[in-house]
């Protein structure tokens, strides 16, 4: 969410916000809960492609055949010649504008040179309001075309702009995220089997995974406005289910590296600030992100090596702190927009850039992870290696 989208008070509902401004609310299509159809989409279930229609009598001749689901780019089944898995990290990309295309072109060249086998999209995939359906043409304009040639699976997470309500970027209508889950069935690149999920890699291995990614939906606990759907309130069924899933998945993971993906950061020196005090708000259950702070601190910190986030349109390699219990935060949200050029927080950082477009590449090996941060000159679509760091795993893998 851009700074100028922030409503004047914390935790207003979208209708209250609209009323204060004299703006009539935009009606949202209400799901028919009595039919049972909506909960099937809204809960953490795999939204696969629709089953083929059953041909009955003359109906078959009048029913057009559905196009076959495309063959997905496969999840990496091994590591590179150097023993590492190379992963592209981007965030806040989906503007469809020249800067996004330039960053993607620069990343494409780096991916070819580095043998990248996987990519990550950290939310705000479709600016400004998210897709209107699971087949919205914006998916082509703001994801497929820019990333042509980066032909690997993209682990995608939901951002606040993907779940807009009346206010662009409010995160006030999380159910819109189901459209991005639906889209995964028709894209070779887009990987989002559910609203939150985990992926252990390399795929199909017999031993413990090298790395496991845990993709979160942070919107219901970091929206700019109050959630009015009881299912998506900060303490409602959805967040209780997601928290229990994450706690159990981290406990069960045998991966050497555990990496949590969430659009909204835990620690952040950019304009949006840290969870618990987003955008200067420190009260209420939503705008401040206080309950996301609790989720990170109580479930993630000290148990995962990295938290990867976007939301702030900056590039930051932050140091682990006492409060993070060794977990390192990376902010990588500059693939489509940039920050305001200055730091707003004082979390210790190895390196940070508040004014450039860019992306990161992680090279994950058994004993060491290296992250290369690139800035991009959008006029020439050329990347420059701006910073590199490496680290051993935070914790010994569980036997």
């Amino acid at each position: 969410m851009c700074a100028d989208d922030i409503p004047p008070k914390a935790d207003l509902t979208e209708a209250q916000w609209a009323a204060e401004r004299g703006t009539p609310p935009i009606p949202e299509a209400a799901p028919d809960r009595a039919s049972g159809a909506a909960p099937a989409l809204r809960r953490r279930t795999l939204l696969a492609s629709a089953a083929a229609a059953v041909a009955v009598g003359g109906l078959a001749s009048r029913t057009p055949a559905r196009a076959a689901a495309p063959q997905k780019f496969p999840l990496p089944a091994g590591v590179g010649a150097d023993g590492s898995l190379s992963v592209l990290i981007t965030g806040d990309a989906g503007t469809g504008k020249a800067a996004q295309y330039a960053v993607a072109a620069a990343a494409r060249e780096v991916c070819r040179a580095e043998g990248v086998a996987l990519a990550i999209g950290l939310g705000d995939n479709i600016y400004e309001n998210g897709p209107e359906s699971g087949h919205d043409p914006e998916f082509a304009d703001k994801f497929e075309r820019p990333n042509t040639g980066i032909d690997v699976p993209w682990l995608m997470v939901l951002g606040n702009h993907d779940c807009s309500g009346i206010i662009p970027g409010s995160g006030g209508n999380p159910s819109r995220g189901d459209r991005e889950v639906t889209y995964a069935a028709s894209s070779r690149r887009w990987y989002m089997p559910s609203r939150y999920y985990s992926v252990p890699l390399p795929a199909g291995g017999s031993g413990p995974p090298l790395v496991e990614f845990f993709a979160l939906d942070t919107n219901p606990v970091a929206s700019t406005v109050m959630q009015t759907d009881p299912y998506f309130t900060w303490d409602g069924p959805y967040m209780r289910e997601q928290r229990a899933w994450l706690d159990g998945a981290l406990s069960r993971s045998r991966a050497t590296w555990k990496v949590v993906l969430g659009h909204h950061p835990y620690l952040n020196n950019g304009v949006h600030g840290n969870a618990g005090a987003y955008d200067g708000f420190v009260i209420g259950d939503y705008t401040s992100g206080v309950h996301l702070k609790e989720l990170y601190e109580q479930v993630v910190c000290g148990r995962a090596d990295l938290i990867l986030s976007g939301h702030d349109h900056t590039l930051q390699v932050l140091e682990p702190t006492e409060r993070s219990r060794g977990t390192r935060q990376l902010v990588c949200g500059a693939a489509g927009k940039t920050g305001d050029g200055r730091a707003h927080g004082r979390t210790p950082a190895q390196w940070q850039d508040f004014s450039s477009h860019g992306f990161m590449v992680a090279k994950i090996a058994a004993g060491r992870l290296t992250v290369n941060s690139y800035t991009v000159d959008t006029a020439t679509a050329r990347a420059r290696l701006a910073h590199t760091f490496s680290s051993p795993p935070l914790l010994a893998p569980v036997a």
Side-chain angles (χ1 to χ4, degrees):
M1 183 170 186
C2 300
D4 55 4
D5 290 332
I6 298 168
K9 297 177 183 176
D11 290 3
L12 296 176
T13 65
E14 299 239 358
Q16 288 169 334
W17 184 90
E20 276 202 357
R21 294 168 60 101
T23 305
I26 299 171
E28 295 286 349
D32 181 6
R33 299 203 176 200
S35 71
L41 285 176
R42 300 163 78 92
R43 284 163 175 77
R44 183 184 161 271
T45 56
L46 176 65
L47 300 184
S49 56
V54 177
V56 179
L59 180 64
S61 63
R62 296 192 299 271
T63 303
R66 289 181 179 269
Q71 184 176 359
K72 292 286 206 181
F73 292 117
L75 292 167
V79 297
D82 63 354
S84 71
L85 176 67
S86 294
V87 181
L88 171 66
I89 306 167
T90 70
D92 299 69
T95 64
K97 296 181 179 178
Q100 179 193 4
Y101 278 75
V103 171
R108 182 162 52 246
E109 295 306 310
V110 172
C111 288
R112 288 170 179 163
E114 297 291 340
V116 162
L118 184 76
I120 291 169
L122 290 168
D124 284 356
N125 309 311
I126 306 293
Y127 281 107
E128 294 288 331
N129 296 304
E132 297 304 316
S133 73
H135 306 283
D136 194 316
E138 287 193 310
F139 285 112
D141 297 337
K142 298 180 179 180
F143 178 73
E144 300 291 352
R145 291 192 186 100
N147 296 316
T148 298
I150 309 178
D151 297 336
V152 298
W154 287 69
L155 308 187
M156 307 298 290
V157 301
L158 294 169
N160 50 292
H161 280 272
D162 303 307
C163 298
S164 294
I166 298 168
I167 309 165
S170 67
N173 186 6
S175 64
R176 289 177 70 97
D178 291 339
R179 300 165 184 176
E180 298 196 4
V181 180
T182 298
Y183 179 68
S186 60
S187 171
R188 298 191 69 189
R189 294 178 182 82
W190 190 287
Y191 186 95
M192 188 185 281
S194 53
R195 300 174 63 99
Y196 55 90
Y197 58 91
S198 65
V199 179
L201 294 172
S206 57
L210 172 64
V211 59
E212 187 162 2
F213 295 97
F214 304 84
L216 306 184
D217 174 11
T218 58
N219 289 286
V221 284
S223 54
T224 305
V225 297
M226 291 175 60
Q227 298 294 339
T228 56
D229 183 338
Y231 183 64
F232 286 110
T233 57
W234 72 267
D235 58 349
Y238 179 75
M239 285 308 303
R240 293 199 302 270
E241 292 164 4
Q242 184 173 190
R243 180 185 173 115
W245 165 80
L246 178 61
D247 186 29
L250 284 169
S251 295
R252 291 188 297 271
S253 178
R254 299 298 181 263
T256 302
W257 294 92
K258 300 177 181 67
V259 181
V260 170
L261 316 177
H263 178 67
H264 297 84
Y266 171 51
L267 299 175
N268 167 41
N269 287 334
V271 65
H272 287 304
N274 295 334
Y278 285 149
D279 301 307
F281 292 115
V282 294
I283 59 172
D285 291 320
Y286 294 98
T287 311
S288 68
V290 63
H291 298 298
L292 179 57
K293 177 177 183 288
E294 293 169 354
L295 178 65
Y296 281 137
E297 290 182 347
Q298 295 172 12
V299 182
V300 175
C301 290
R303 301 174 71 192
D305 299 276
L306 296 175
I307 299 170
L308 305 185
S309 305
H311 193 48
D312 223 277
H313 303 150
T314 57
L315 301 164
Q316 302 173 53
V317 179
L318 302 179
E319 293 282 30
T321 65
E322 183 177 355
R323 63 188 285 198
S324 76
R325 302 199 300 281
T327 298
R328 182 186 295 274
Q329 171 79 67
L330 304 182
V331 179
C332 187
K337 300 184 178 184
T338 59
D340 64 358
R342 63 189 183 92
H344 293 259
R346 292 181 289 184
T347 299
Q350 276 210 17
W351 174 81
Q352 48 196 351
D353 186 310
F354 298 98
S355 58
S356 299
H357 288 92
F359 59 91
M360 298 179 183
V361 172
K363 297 180 75 68
I364 306 170
R368 186 156 294 272
L369 176 143
T370 300
V371 175
N372 295 325
S373 298
Y374 293 87
T375 58
V376 174
D377 178 356
T378 56
T380 62
R382 298 295 297 273
R384 180 182 72 87
L385 179 60
H387 180 263
T388 186
F389 91 94
S390 61
S391 171
L394 170 63
L395 301 171
V398 178

